[in-house]
Amino acid sequence: FRLLTTFIVILGSACCAFFMWGTTEPPVSRRGRRRRQKGRAASATLRDSLLSESTSSDDRSSVSYSPESSTDRVSDDQLADVREEEEEEENEQSAGAEHVEWRDWFRRPVFYHVGFIYMCTRLVVNVSQIYLPFFVLDSLDMATQHITLVPLTVYVSSFVSTFVMKALNKRLGRKVVFTIGALLCASSFVYMYCFLHPHNALLIYPAVVVLGMGNATIMVTVVSMEADLVGPATESGAFVYGALSFTDKLSNGIAIVIIQRFRETASNMRHAECVVPFVAAMLAFMMTLMISESSFVKCEPDDAEDEANDDDDVEKRKLSSRKSDEEYSDL
């Protein structure tokens, strides 16, 4: 165990270092500055054009305004950039107006709901993984090599399941996906508690495959719920993540202390491995049903729909710019 722990720490540190120094973030701020500069330039061009039209028309009867000439000087793209810049400034002002302090979260019921779901999810994952080797040895009386093979099967199954999490959350939503994961975990615990014995111990492998799928599903989904809960309130997001993590650590510590207290008198790990995670999964499942779907981020449209929406926006902006030219012509 000492060698395993050392290997895990070294490998985890290497992966963290590779992520920190090997992953480059997109230059969002630089692109934003270029867009703002372009919008300001287009706005200045528009103002100069209108100013020149107004100052050169001292005698209005002698001046004939031509929309085509104005359109030549100020293109539709420039007008769209000006309007887009104004919309971005309005959005920034409205977003800045909604400032959420850390104490404001205590007045939001969804904060307690998501916190309870996160706590139960971590209980399911952590307790089932901690006591799985003891369940293999003490309850099923399997050989020592299965101490590594059974958890490895869980991890491989969890890793494979993560590839479909994005598509499932997009199609089905948070509540449905979490419900599926909780039911997968619960069915695995029921199977291990009722049907696994030393004479058919090898049947644990199908059960842990289902358990790995369920663990990955509920863990990925509940982390997404956390992100949905914080939303644009990033100034107090650290408090939300810290508070939920505190409940996770506290509940896991209490559960393990209670399990160890009873383990001193009973060597059977069946209840610790199956009953405690099963109860936590069912509690998280019931709490998920109490949260409205509007509390979570709705499904995003497909790429084709995104492109269609972008095309519609471009057409609307062009039409709006043409109407603006006609209004300037009337002036």
Side-chain angles (χ1 to χ4, degrees), residues 183-203:
L183 294 179
L184 287 175
C185 293
S187 61
S188 177
F189 296 136
V190 170
Y191 175 80
M192 288 191 295
Y193 183 83
C194 298
F195 301 103
L196 286 183
H197 301 281
H199 66 274
N200 60 350
L202 292 178
L203 294 179

Side-chain angles (χ1 to χ4, degrees), residues 83-158:
R83 293 182 178 86
E84 187 175 356
E85 180 190 5
E86 293 174 353
E87 292 176 358
E88 289 178 355
E89 291 177 354
E90 292 178 357
N91 293 334
E92 290 177 359
Q93 292 176 358
S94 61
E98 186 181 359
H99 184 75
V100 181
E101 296 287 344
W102 65 270
R103 60 182 64 90
D104 296 334
W105 290 104
F106 293 106
R107 296 191 292 268
R108 300 188 176 188
V110 69
F111 172 72
Y112 300 98
H113 293 165
V114 176
F116 185 81
I117 296 172
Y118 181 80
M119 179 186 69
C120 293
T121 301
R122 297 298 300 185
L123 269 175
V124 173
V125 176
N126 292 341
V127 174
S128 63
Q129 295 303 312
I130 289 173
Y131 290 100
L132 186 58
F134 300 100
F135 176 74
V136 170
L137 289 179
D138 297 340
S139 298
L140 301 182
D141 197 20
M142 301 180 72
T144 55
Q145 64 266 23
H146 294 284
I147 296 178
T148 58
L149 295 178
V150 172
L152 178 63
T153 305
V154 176
Y155 295 140
V156 172
S157 176
S158 300

Side-chain angles (χ1 to χ4, degrees), residues 2-73:
R2 185 183 297 110
L3 179 62
L4 178 63
T5 304
T6 304
F7 174 76
I8 291 174
V9 171
I10 294 175
L11 181 61
S13 301
C15 292
C16 291
F18 176 77
F19 173 78
M20 296 298 295
W21 283 283
T23 305
T24 57
E25 296 183 3
V28 178
S29 59
R30 189 178 303 173
R31 288 203 304 267
R33 285 197 300 268
R34 285 201 297 265
R35 288 186 63 185
R36 287 192 294 270
Q37 291 174 359
K38 183 180 177 181
R40 283 194 292 267
S43 179
T45 304
L46 178 60
R47 287 194 299 268
D48 293 341
S49 176
L50 296 177
L51 182 61
S52 62
E53 287 293 330
S54 62
T55 55
S56 62
S57 59
D58 295 331
D59 187 5
R60 294 186 178 182
S61 61
S62 62
V63 176
S64 60
Y65 182 82
S66 175
E68 289 78 5
S69 62
S70 175
T71 307
D72 292 337
R73 285 188 299 270

Side-chain angles (χ1 to χ4, degrees), residues 84-321:
E84 187 175 356
E85 180 190 5
E86 293 174 353
E87 292 176 358
E88 289 178 355
E89 291 177 354
E90 292 178 357
N91 293 334
E92 290 177 359
Q93 292 176 358
S94 61
E98 186 181 359
H99 184 75
V100 181
E101 296 287 344
W102 65 270
R103 60 182 64 90
D104 296 334
W105 290 104
F106 293 106
R107 296 191 292 268
R108 300 188 176 188
V110 69
F111 172 72
Y112 300 98
H113 293 165
V114 176
F116 185 81
I117 296 172
Y118 181 80
M119 179 186 69
C120 293
T121 301
R122 297 298 300 185
L123 269 175
V124 173
V125 176
N126 292 341
V127 174
S128 63
Q129 295 303 312
I130 289 173
Y131 290 100
L132 186 58
F134 300 100
F135 176 74
V136 170
L137 289 179
D138 297 340
S139 298
L140 301 182
D141 197 20
M142 301 180 72
T144 55
Q145 64 266 23
H146 294 284
I147 296 178
T148 58
L149 295 178
V150 172
L152 178 63
T153 305
V154 176
Y155 295 140
V156 172
S157 176
S158 300
F159 176 73
V160 175
S161 300
T162 56
F163 289 104
V164 298
M165 287 298 104
K166 182 178 181 180
L168 286 178
N169 278 276
K170 181 184 294 186
R171 297 294 182 183
L172 304 178
R174 304 276 192 249
K175 291 181 63 174
V176 177
V177 174
F178 190 89
T179 300
I180 293 174
L183 294 179
L184 287 175
C185 293
S187 61
S188 177
F189 296 136
V190 170
Y191 175 80
M192 288 191 295
Y193 183 83
C194 298
F195 301 103
L196 286 183
H197 301 281
H199 66 274
N200 60 350
L202 292 178
L203 294 179
I204 192 177
Y205 285 97
V208 295
V209 169
V210 177
L211 178 61
M213 296 170 57
N215 285 348
T217 302
I218 61 177
M219 197 65 233
V220 172
T221 306
V222 79
V223 172
S224 301
M225 289 181 184
E226 283 188 286
D228 297 343
L229 175 65
V230 174
T234 55
E235 65 276 358
S236 58
F239 169 77
V240 175
Y241 287 103
L244 269 59
S245 180
F246 173 75
T247 60
D248 152 40
K249 304 301 186 294
L250 183 63
S251 61
N252 278 271
I254 295 174
I256 291 176
V257 168
I258 295 175
I259 291 172
Q260 290 298 114
R261 178 71 59 87
F262 285 98
R263 185 173 181 268
E264 295 177 357
T265 58
S267 59
N268 194 340
M269 285 286 96
R270 190 176 297 271
H271 290 83
E273 174 61 25
C274 302
V275 176
V276 175
F278 174 82
V279 173
M282 288 296 97
L283 290 175
F285 164 69
M286 290 185 291
M287 183 60 68
T288 304
L289 297 180
M290 297 174 59
I291 300 181
S292 61
E293 190 68 29
S294 60
S295 302
F296 307 125
V297 174
K298 294 183 179 180
C299 302
E300 299 177 357
D302 297 335
D303 295 338
E305 295 179 357
D306 290 339
E307 294 177 359
N309 293 334
D310 294 340
D311 294 338
D312 293 340
D313 292 339
V314 171
E315 293 298 331
K316 290 179 181 178
R317 289 175 180 175
K318 288 184 178 180
L319 181 61
S320 177
S321 63

